């Protein structure tokens, strides 16, 4: 067996841990991009500038999740063909995905650039930070194709068991981004524009290097392939579209919550933005574990080792429980210091109160999110997208119902309530799928 095939040969807990840890670390460094912007802007420009960056965060996270979902959806088929050693089909779906998603990312970038101000107005962004937020968002959308392609390539690497390579690129680009952030914001005094420009440059370099390395890695696998195949594109979209919705619903729910927070003013938004950065760090850990489960399930499905799927799911739940406990302990003991890291000395009592109360509440609910993501990962790996899609639409509906009803005092109830509702539906669908998997062994 090739060393790349450990997901179908090693003990499930060991294989999934080895595979998931680089993804988890990668998710952390992915958020370092955004956290560096927020911390440096908050410390050297002020809380109003932090609020402007925070006003864009929910929107940018939605677009990031579109890229993540597209990559994970395509990666399911790549993993299945890789596990079955059908390298010609694997390379065809890789080429088809890269071409399709490059065109999509350019279109989304143009749409986002043109409608930046309109989207921020829909979210009721305060007028005193509107121009700054629009500037930040437009620079972000200029670099969106680089971000999109980097995330697609990262998913392709992980689909063939190479989860350490994306981690290496993320560490490099995060460190580079922090250095540029500090130079442009603190050194050159470019403010929010400098923070956005630094992120664009770091993402562009990472995307180009990832593409060159991935094309080189594909030469290991022999087989003729087509550059673009409509049938494979349709197969990929059947998985990718629900996956995009799944990855996006958390961020869309957060965007709805932010629309409730924005009318309470700049300082309330600054407090919410500080906590949202922390929430993103921990939530992406569980997203990463769920994303690791999909290639594990898909590779073992392709290799006809279906008995390993249930064991892999249990291993993912163990990882989720460990990280949920870690998140709870960190937030409960350090929430005030974490808020101060973002808000700085000019943060008001309202900003610190919103940040602290939201952060403490979330700590109790991360376990539900972890179980939800692991369950969704199994369903996605099996290609069972209908219950998967329904569950995530329910997640979004809960956010729509709760956020406007309770206002800022209980606004943080909406997101974890959505996680729990999503989990219940996904888990019922998974329980129904177990007998069918067993019969096929």
């Amino acid at each position: 067996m090739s060393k790349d095939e450990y997901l179908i040969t090693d003990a499930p807990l060991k294989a999934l841990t080895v595979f998931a840890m680089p993804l988890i670390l990668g998710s952390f460094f992915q958020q370092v991009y955004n956290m560096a912007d927020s911390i440096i802007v908050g410390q050297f420009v002020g809380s109003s500038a932090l609020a402007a960056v925070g006003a864009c965060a929910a929107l940018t996270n939605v677009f990031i999740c579109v890229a993540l979902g597209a990559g994970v959806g395509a990666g399911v088929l790549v993993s299945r063909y890789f596990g079955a050693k059908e390298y010609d089909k694997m390379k065809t779906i890789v080429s088809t995905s890269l071409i399709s998603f490059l065109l999509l990312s350019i279109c989304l970038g143009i749409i986002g650039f043109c409608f930046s101000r309109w989207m921020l107005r829909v979210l009721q962004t305060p007028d005193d930070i509107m121009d700054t937020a629009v500037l930040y968002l437009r620079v972000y959308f200029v670099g969106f194709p680089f971000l999109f392609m980097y995330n697609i390539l990262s998913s392709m690497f992980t689909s063939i068991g190479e989860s350490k390579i994306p981690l290496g690129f993320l560490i490099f680009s995060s460190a580079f981004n922090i250095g540029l952030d500090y130079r442009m914001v603190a050194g050159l005094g470019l403010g929010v524009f400098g923070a956005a420009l630094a992120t664009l440059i770091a993402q562009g370099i990472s995307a180009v290097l990832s593409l060159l390395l991935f094309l080189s890695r594909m030469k290991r696998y022999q087989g003729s392939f087509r550059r673009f195949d409509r049938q494979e594109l349709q197969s990929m979209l059947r998985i990718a579209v629900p996956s995009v919705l799944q990855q996006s619903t958390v961020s869309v729910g957060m965007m709805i919550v932010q629309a409730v927070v924005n009318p309470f003013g700049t300082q309330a938004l600054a407090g919410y933005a500080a906590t949202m950065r922390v929430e993103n760090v921990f939530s992406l850990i569980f997203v990463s574990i769920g994303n690791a489960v999909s290639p594990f399930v898909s590779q073992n499905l392709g290799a006809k080792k279906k008995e390993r799927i249930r064991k892999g799911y249990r291993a993912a739940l163990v990882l989720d429980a460990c990280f949920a406990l870690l998140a709870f302990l960190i937030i409960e003991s350090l929430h005030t210091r974490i808020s101060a890291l973002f808000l700085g000395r000019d943060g008001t009592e309202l900003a610190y109160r919103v940040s602290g109360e939201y952060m403490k509440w979330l700590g109790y609910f991360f376990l539900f999110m972890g179980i939800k993501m692991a369950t969704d990962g199994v369903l996605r790996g099996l290609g069972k997208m209908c219950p998967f899609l329904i569950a995530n639409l329910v997640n979004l509906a809960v956010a729509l119902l709760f956020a406007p009803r309770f206002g800022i005092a209980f606004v943080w109830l909406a997101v974890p309530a959505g996680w729990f509702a999503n989990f219940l539906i996904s888990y019922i669908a998974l329980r129904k799928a177990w007998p069918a998997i067993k019969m096929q062994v």
Side-chain angles (χ1 to χ4, degrees):
M1 285 286 185
S2 166
K3 67 177 183 178
D4 294 338
E5 297 176 351
Y6 65 93
L7 288 178
I8 58 177
T9 58
D10 291 358
L13 180 58
K14 176 185 175 183
L16 198 60
T17 302
V18 170
F19 184 57
M21 287 307 296
L23 298 181
I24 292 168
L25 291 173
S27 72
F28 170 77
F29 284 103
Q30 181 78 57
Q31 286 304 308
V32 166
Y33 267 172
N34 297 327
M35 289 178 66
D37 289 349
S38 296
I39 292 173
I40 292 173
V41 166
Q43 293 290 334
F44 291 100
V45 185
S47 59
S48 293
L50 171 62
V53 175
C56 301
L59 279 171
T60 58
N61 281 335
V62 171
F63 283 88
I64 289 173
C65 287
V66 170
L68 288 171
V72 171
V76 168
L77 291 181
V78 173
S79 295
R80 191 169 301 172
Y81 292 142
F82 180 80
K85 298 185 179 180
E86 297 180 24
Y87 299 133
D88 52 344
K89 291 184 178 180
M90 179 188 77
K91 295 172 80 170
T92 296
I93 196 68
V94 165
S95 179
T96 300
S97 301
L98 290 177
I99 292 172
S100 302
F101 289 134
L102 175 60
L103 295 175
L104 175 62
S105 67
I106 292 173
C107 291
L108 289 176
I110 293 172
I111 292 171
F113 184 91
C114 294
F115 291 94
S116 293
R117 186 176 294 273
W118 177 82
M119 289 186 289
L120 289 169
R121 287 206 180 278
V122 169
L123 292 176
Q124 302 184 65
T125 303
D127 289 336
D128 59 330
I129 60 171
M130 176 63 76
D131 290 339
T132 305
V134 169
L135 176 62
Y136 182 90
L137 199 56
R138 284 180 172 168
V139 175
Y140 170 86
F141 280 119
V142 169
F144 184 66
F146 293 117
L147 171 67
F148 203 104
M149 293 310 297
Y150 171 76
N151 281 286
I152 296 295
L153 290 165
S154 294
S155 295
M156 296 299 179
F157 274 120
T158 58
S159 296
I160 59 174
E162 294 282 6
S163 57
K164 294 180 181 178
I165 293 175
L167 173 61
F169 279 119
L170 272 172
I171 293 174
F172 161 75
S173 57
S174 297
F176 189 52
N177 182 47
I178 291 172
L180 282 177
D181 261 334
Y182 186 82
R183 175 61 179 165
M184 291 184 175
V185 177
L188 300 179
L190 295 179
V192 168
F193 173 75
L197 185 61
T199 301
L200 186 155
I201 294 171
Q203 288 172 349
I205 293 174
S206 297
V208 172
L209 293 178
S210 295
L211 178 61
L212 293 175
L213 182 57
F214 186 78
L215 294 177
S216 174
R217 186 56 55 95
M218 282 292 99
K219 294 179 181 179
R220 290 184 179 183
Y221 307 106
Q222 299 300 317
S224 59
F225 69 99
R226 299 179 63 181
R227 292 188 182 277
F228 188 86
D229 188 295
R230 290 186 179 180
Q231 186 174 355
E232 291 289 4
L233 176 61
Q234 292 174 356
S235 299
M236 179 189 66
L237 290 178
R238 281 195 292 268
I239 299 175
V241 171
S243 182
V244 166
L245 291 175
Q246 185 267 339
Q247 300 283 340
S248 302
T249 47
V250 173
S251 291
V252 172
M254 292 168 64
M255 187 169 63
I256 294 168
V257 170
Q258 182 173 317
V260 177
V261 174
N262 284 347
F264 287 88
T266 300
Q267 289 304 314
L269 177 56
Y272 175 74
T275 301
M276 190 166 56
R277 295 302 192 193
V278 178
E279 179 182 350
N280 287 341
V281 170
F282 288 113
S283 65
L284 279 180
I285 291 174
F286 302 112
V287 170
S288 298
I289 294 173
N291 289 347
V293 170
S294 293
F296 178 91
V297 170
S298 196
Q299 282 196 27
N300 282 282
L301 196 63
K304 302 186 185 303
K305 295 185 176 182
K306 302 182 183 71
E307 73 281 355
R308 290 171 54 85
I309 294 174
R310 189 189 295 264
K311 295 177 181 178
Y313 177 59
R314 291 172 180 167
L317 295 182
V318 171
L319 292 176
D320 284 325
C322 292
F323 280 103
L325 177 61
L326 177 64
F328 175 79
L329 293 175
I330 290 175
I331 287 176
E332 284 298 305
S333 58
L334 298 174
H335 60 87
T336 302
R337 294 182 182 179
I338 294 172
S339 297
L341 183 65
F342 291 93
L343 296 172
R345 288 173 294 181
D346 67 339
T348 64
E349 186 274 335
L350 174 61
Y352 274 97
R353 179 167 57 83
V354 170
S355 178
E357 291 180 358
Y358 183 23
M359 202 179 304
K360 287 192 293 182
W361 176 263
L362 281 175
Y364 292 95
F365 286 90
F366 277 120
L367 181 61
F368 292 119
M369 184 185 191
I371 298 173
K372 155 193 146 50
M373 290 297 179
T375 306
D376 285 351
V378 176
L379 291 173
R380 184 171 51 231
L382 294 172
K384 296 184 177 295
M385 308 309 293
C386 184
F388 180 90
L389 177 58
I390 293 172
N392 285 282
L393 290 177
V394 169
N395 187 2
L396 183 57
V398 170
L400 281 166
L401 290 172
F402 276 99
R405 182 179 299 273
F406 288 101
I408 195 169
F410 295 98
V411 72
W412 35 83
L413 176 64
V415 175
W419 299 343
F420 184 69
N422 185 309
F423 156 68
L424 289 178
I425 297 173
S426 295
Y427 185 70
I428 291 170
L430 184 60
R431 292 286 297 180
K432 292 180 179 179
W434 290 137
I437 296 170
K438 189 174 181 181
M439 288 172 62
Q440 294 173 21
V441 176

